[in-house]
Structure formats: structure tokens, C-alpha cells
Amino acid sequence: MTARIGVVTFPGSLDDRDTQRAIRVAGAEPVALWHKDKGLRQVDAVVLPGGFSYGDYLRAGAISRFSPVMESVIEQAKAGLPVLGICNGFQVLTEAHLLPGGMLGNDHLHFICRDQKLRVENADTAWTGDYRAGQEIHIPLKNMDGRYVADEYTLDKLEAEGRVVFRYLDVNPNGSLRDIAGITNEAGNVVGLMPHPEHAVEPLIGTGRTDGLPFFTSILKKLVNA
């Protein structure tokens, strides 16, 4: 049976179709979910895609966190459903308290769009099993509010528990504390990151590499072998 991965569209989502395509390229079935849906249509995993949901009013992700679909996402994520938040989706996950910390405006106060070098710090999550710890990859990055922040206690805890999943290399593009580009929850089923793996799954688009494809093959293998 083909794994079904839901992709939520909020008002202002930009990368939902790209994410659906990445899921299809990996061999799974993308399922379109609308922000007003109250159920998840029995999907096996969920991706919250990038964009500017609700125009990033109040704070990035602050309004989307209260969309009807998020009630189901939060409930099922706490029960073990794999959830990936990409860029704006990462912001929504912090606002929903599925991941700790928060996102602020880039320290240089400008929108950034670039190919970004990352180091994989944790290859044991539901979304990173096809990487290896220490692997260096290139993933497109585009954000205005990408600066990850948390108090020192939270940062130390993330480090000690191995919950920093990705770290920026060569340059810190937005001022994120400790060069953090992505994190996971304690169970490893919820992952959030600012770069966009869905833009690096085919050689002809994005970076011209396929460094983002393992996100989607990782979850497919996880679901098939569950």
C-alpha cells in the first residue's frame, strides 16, 4: 500500500505544490489538506509547507496555529504521527508548541534567498534516516523571519539530547542562535527546519542537486517498515 503524506495549504502558502511534487518523486502519495479541514483524511504523515501563511501577521505562523486542521495535527503529532514543518511550517510548529523556541526576523532585516550549506546533526528522526550524521548537504533557503531563538536552558537541552537536526555551515544566514537550522521533538517524529528540501529533489531545479530528496524517502521507508 502506498504511503499517504498530507500537505496542508494555509492562505498564503507558497510551496505546497512543490512539496506535493517532492512527495510524488519519492514514491509516496501526496494528499492535499486544507487549513479548514477538521480531519487529516487518514494520512500517514503531514507536512506543513513554506510560504507566508496569513501574511505573517502578528508573527509568522501565529494565526495558522489556530487553523482548524492544526487541532488534529497537534493531537496526532503528540500521539506519534510524523510531522515535518518547512520554513513557515517550522514557524507554525513553534507557535503550536510542538517544537520549542521561536522564530524572529532575520538579524540583517532583509529577506534572504540562497543555496545554503548544512550539516546533518541527527540522522535518527523519522525524516532524516536516509542521511548520515555529519553529512554536509546543500538546500535552498528563503525567509524573512528565520532567526531561531530560545533561552539558554532550552538550547542546552536541545544540544544535550541531540535534538539539533541541522546546523548552518560557512555562514549563518539569519542570526539563528548556535547556527541552528532545524530541530526535532523528543520523540523524533516532529521535525522543523528553515531551508526548503522540496526545492532540491531533482537535478534540474533548485540547487541542481538532490540533497533534499532523502527527507521524503526517509519518511517513506519509515512508514513502510513501521
Side-chain angles (χ1 to χ4, degrees), residues 67-90:
S67 290
V69 73
M70 286 304 298
E71 183 175 345
S72 295
V73 170
I74 293 169
E75 178 183 0
Q76 294 195 37
K78 290 179 178 179
L81 180 76
V83 178
L84 175 66
I86 302 171
C87 195
N88 189 236
F90 185 11

Side-chain angles (χ1 to χ4, degrees), residues 17 26 39 43 63 74 94 110 127 164 177 186:
R17 297 295 181 91
V43 296
I63 299 178
I74 293 169
T94 62
H110 294 285
W127 298 91
V164 176
L177 297 180
E186 293 181 5

Side-chain angles (χ1 to χ4, degrees), residues 25 28 40 67 93 101 108 169 172 178 191 198-199 203 218 224:
V25 169
L40 298 180
S67 290
L93 290 176
H108 46 72
L169 289 183
N172 185 324
R178 303 195 189 181
V191 170
E198 77 280 11
H199 294 328
S218 293
V224 170

Side-chain angles (χ1 to χ4, degrees), residues 17-142:
R17 297 295 181 91
D18 302 72
T19 303
Q20 290 176 27
R21 179 173 177 81
I23 291 167
R24 195 176 294 111
V25 169
E29 177 188 350
V31 178
L33 299 175
W34 184 234
H35 71 114
K36 288 188 177 181
D37 291 344
K38 293 186 177 180
L40 298 180
R41 299 178 57 189
Q42 297 182 315
V43 296
D44 302 301
V46 168
V47 180
L48 305 181
F52 300 90
S53 60
Y54 291 94
D56 281 348
Y57 289 111
L58 299 183
R59 290 182 310 277
I63 299 178
S64 296
R65 175 262 179 273
F66 293 102
S67 290
V69 73
M70 286 304 298
E71 183 175 345
S72 295
V73 170
I74 293 169
E75 178 183 0
Q76 294 195 37
K78 290 179 178 179
L81 180 76
V83 178
L84 175 66
I86 302 171
C87 195
N88 189 236
F90 185 11
Q91 296 160 344
V92 174
L93 290 176
T94 62
E95 291 289 340
H97 303 298
L98 287 174
L99 291 175
M103 313 300 298
L104 297 178
N106 298 341
D107 59 352
H108 46 72
L109 303 181
H110 294 285
F111 180 83
I112 189 169
C113 183
R114 56 171 288 145
D115 292 342
Q116 178 65 46
K117 189 176 182 181
L118 306 173
R119 182 172 61 240
V120 180
E121 303 282 24
N122 183 341
D124 294 324
T125 77
W127 298 91
T128 57
D130 272 356
Y131 293 108
R132 65 181 185 278
Q135 183 177 351
E136 296 181 3
I137 61 176
H138 291 78
I139 302 289
L141 175 74
K142 50 177 186 174

Side-chain angles (χ1 to χ4, degrees), residues 3 26 126 129-130 214-226:
D130 272 356
F215 274 90
F216 306 100
T217 57
S218 293
I219 189 60
L220 179 58
K221 291 178 182 178
K222 176 78 172 178
L223 294 171
V224 170
N225 295 326

Side-chain angles (χ1 to χ4, degrees), residues 150-226:
D151 59 73
E152 287 297 311
Y153 172 81
T154 299
L155 293 169
D156 289 343
K157 185 176 181 182
L158 289 172
E159 301 275 14
E161 296 178 354
R163 290 168 55 193
V164 176
V165 182
F166 297 96
R167 213 179 296 269
Y168 296 116
L169 289 183
D170 294 345
V171 63
N172 185 324
N174 44 38
S176 291
L177 297 180
R178 303 195 189 181
D179 300 326
I180 291 174
I183 60 173
T184 185
N185 66 342
E186 293 181 5
N189 64 302
V190 179
V191 170
L193 79 161
M194 286 310 296
H196 287 260
E198 77 280 11
H199 294 328
V201 298
E202 297 174 291
L204 293 178
I205 60 173
T207 60
R209 303 157 63 118
T210 58
D211 290 1
L213 187 58
F215 274 90
F216 306 100
T217 57
S218 293
I219 189 60
L220 179 58
K221 291 178 182 178
K222 176 78 172 178
L223 294 171
V224 170
N225 295 326

